[in-house]
Amino acid sequence: MSTTALSAVIAATLAAPAMAQEVSGDVVKIGILNDQSGVYADFGGRSSVAAARMAIADFGGTVLGKPIELVDADHQNKADIASNIAREWYDVQNVDAIMELTTSSVALAVQGLSREKGKITITTGAATTELTGKQCSPYGFHWAYDTHALAVGTGGALVKAGGDTWFFLTADYAFGYSLEEQTGNFVKANGGQVLGSVRHPLSTTDFSSFVLQAQSSGAKVVGMANAGLDTQNTIKAAAEFGLVQSGQQLAALLFTLAEVHGLGLDAAQGINLTEGWYWDQSDENRAFAERFQKEANVKPNMIHVGTYSAVLQYLKAVQAAGTDETKAVAAKLHELPVEDVFAKKGTVQANGRMVYDMYLFQVKAPGDSKGEWDYYNQVATVPGAEAYLPVDQSGCDTASFAAN
């Protein structure tokens, strides 16, 4: 069955029998659940909450004549805390959908709970392909990026440029494993070798022993399968031990504008990275970024603008469905094209993966930057069809959705 036909089947399965305008509790309530105080606070954090507020305001503040309410919380990168918050939001506060969900272990736990509760999640902050793979959900959607897109973008560029031996420095949880596996598979499929890997705890402060193992491997490329402050601290330790000076390259497999800003161009220059959005790509992006900076005091990265897009698309789906009932809204989320400041000609696969173009960037040298936040040169576009796995290769059992 083709992806188009399969999407039609899923949409038909999820469609509610009645399309009369109906909003539960006379309010549409959205929750932003993410890391607001830890290693990923700059990656998403309060800035993602600001993005969600902007989306609600841009939609008009109401949907189907009912108010839109936003709640948010800090999950502290702990799946049990996130699940408890999500359960309370659903059972007591009547939250309709939860979004952002930084940290893959958190996103998987909350998406699983949401499937049981018959609620929608739209993940923008977590990376694992398991969200639309073996642990997919008829009510789960994955926006912004995933580990496969990062592997194709950053990993592909470096292998083609001669970086054919790799060693991975990996965050010791689901996201890190997935990113290492996806990138390693891509390296090997293109004739390269993976010489080894070492795993580090989330939020560790001392990367010395991990960096020394990477250095002693002799690999041409050290792939940093981590994110946020962990990546920044890895780069600092690599500079201390002279990895780049000794001839090795650093591959930041998940590195965004927020982390480049925090690290500074002196340390980050020359690093290749993949993002799904950059503020200086177009007049539309620049105008949005200027508005966003007034709200959040930073230029947005792909997580922030992806959250804006996810909230906006959810509200469009509620409007189109004529109700906030989960099955009807999920059907519209699968059906509607994604066309906004974040994604052009975006489509949602039957497994919930939103497909749109990604971009390979290289961080500018300090002398090439025209000012604060002018950090990237765009190197290449990675078409969505290449960046993301097709449904039949994702591991998602979409046939099981019929039971929900």
Side-chain angles (χ1 to χ4, degrees):
M1 183 182 292
S2 70
T3 300
T4 301
L6 185 56
S7 297
V9 171
I10 298 301
T13 300
L14 294 173
M19 296 300 289
Q21 291 195 4
E22 180 181 342
V23 172
S24 58
D26 287 331
V27 61
V28 172
K29 191 175 288 191
I30 297 168
I32 300 297
L33 185 57
N34 62 3
D35 176 11
Q36 299 182 9
S37 59
V39 66
Y40 301 138
D42 291 337
F43 181 76
R46 298 298 306 173
S47 295
S48 287
V49 179
R53 288 200 184 102
M54 284 179 65
I56 291 170
D58 287 353
F59 193 79
T62 64
V63 60
L64 302 176
K66 304 297 182 181
I68 304 162
E69 185 176 335
L70 184 71
V71 296
D72 69 88
D74 183 353
H75 60 48
Q76 302 174 47
N77 294 311
K78 295 178 180 178
D80 57 341
I81 290 176
S83 295
N84 288 338
I85 292 170
R87 191 179 300 276
E88 194 270 341
W89 278 358
Y90 290 148
D91 293 347
V92 179
Q93 298 194 38
N94 298 315
V95 167
D96 295 292
I98 296 177
M99 304 182 197
E100 221 270 38
L101 296 170
T102 311
T103 314
S104 291
S105 54
V106 164
L108 290 167
V110 174
Q111 180 169 283
L113 172 66
S114 300
R115 180 170 186 169
E116 293 174 14
K117 294 285 187 178
K119 297 286 189 174
I120 285 171
T121 58
I122 307 181
T123 299
T124 58
T128 180
T129 53
E130 286 295 288
L131 287 162
T132 51
K134 292 180 181 179
Q135 298 191 51
C136 62
S137 164
Y139 316 128
F141 299 86
H142 201 178
W143 241 243
Y145 73 107
D146 65 22
T147 51
H148 187 269
L150 299 175
V152 171
T154 308
L158 290 175
V159 173
K160 290 175 183 177
D164 56 3
T165 56
W166 285 62
F167 185 93
F168 288 96
L169 201 156
T170 303
D172 192 12
Y173 73 105
F175 152 69
Y177 311 152
S178 180
L179 188 50
E180 178 187 329
E181 180 183 16
Q182 294 276 352
T183 308
N185 288 343
F186 195 85
V187 168
K188 288 181 281 189
N190 285 271
Q193 291 179 282
V194 175
L195 303 184
S197 66
V198 61
R199 292 175 175 174
H200 69 81
L202 180 67
S203 304
T204 190
T205 56
D206 185 1
F207 281 84
S208 300
S209 64
F210 308 120
V211 167
L212 286 171
Q213 289 182 64
Q215 188 174 44
S216 65
S217 74
K220 294 179 183 177
V221 180
V222 176
M224 295 176 286
N226 51 20
L229 288 176
D230 284 341
T231 302
Q232 293 184 50
N233 288 332
T234 303
I235 294 169
K236 291 176 182 177
E240 180 183 346
F241 290 102
L243 260 70
V244 175
Q245 291 87 337
S246 66
Q248 291 178 295
Q249 297 183 71
L250 293 176
L253 299 175
L254 178 49
F255 204 46
T256 76
L257 192 73
E259 288 74 55
V260 174
H261 184 71
L263 194 59
L265 291 183
D266 283 334
Q269 62 182 304
I271 290 177
N272 291 303
L273 58 94
T274 301
E275 281 214 61
W277 193 90
Y278 179 51
W279 70 270
D280 203 24
Q281 287 176 299
S282 69
D283 289 342
E284 182 185 20
N285 288 14
R286 284 185 283 273
F288 179 87
E290 184 176 351
R291 289 177 54 215
F292 183 88
Q293 192 167 7
K294 290 177 181 178
E295 295 289 331
N297 297 316
V298 295
K299 284 284 196 288
N301 64 14
M302 67 176 170
I303 313 305
H304 306 141
V305 192
T307 301
Y308 172 91
S309 173
V311 172
L312 197 63
Q313 194 73 4
Y314 174 76
L315 295 173
K316 290 177 182 177
V318 171
Q319 184 73 47
T323 177
D324 64 351
E325 193 275 327
T326 294
K327 289 185 179 180
V329 176
K332 290 300 180 182
L333 283 168
H334 280 98
E335 174 187 326
L336 294 174
V338 183
E339 189 71 29
D340 55 33
V341 69
F342 180 65
K344 304 303 179 188
K345 299 180 180 178
T347 59
V348 177
Q349 296 181 152
N351 62 353
R353 174 66 256 175
M354 198 273 280
V355 175
Y356 74 113
D357 292 346
M358 300 288 287
Y359 307 96
L360 178 68
F361 299 104
Q362 187 175 65
V363 179
K364 291 182 176 182
D368 295 331
S369 174
K370 297 176 183 178
E372 190 176 40
W373 299 106
D374 179 28
Y375 296 156
Y376 291 171
N377 286 316
Q378 185 171 324
V379 177
T381 298
V382 184
E386 295 178 17
Y388 297 104
L389 286 167
V391 175
D392 60 3
Q393 295 178 27
S394 69
C396 176
D397 179 16
T398 53
S400 69
F401 292 179
N404 290 86

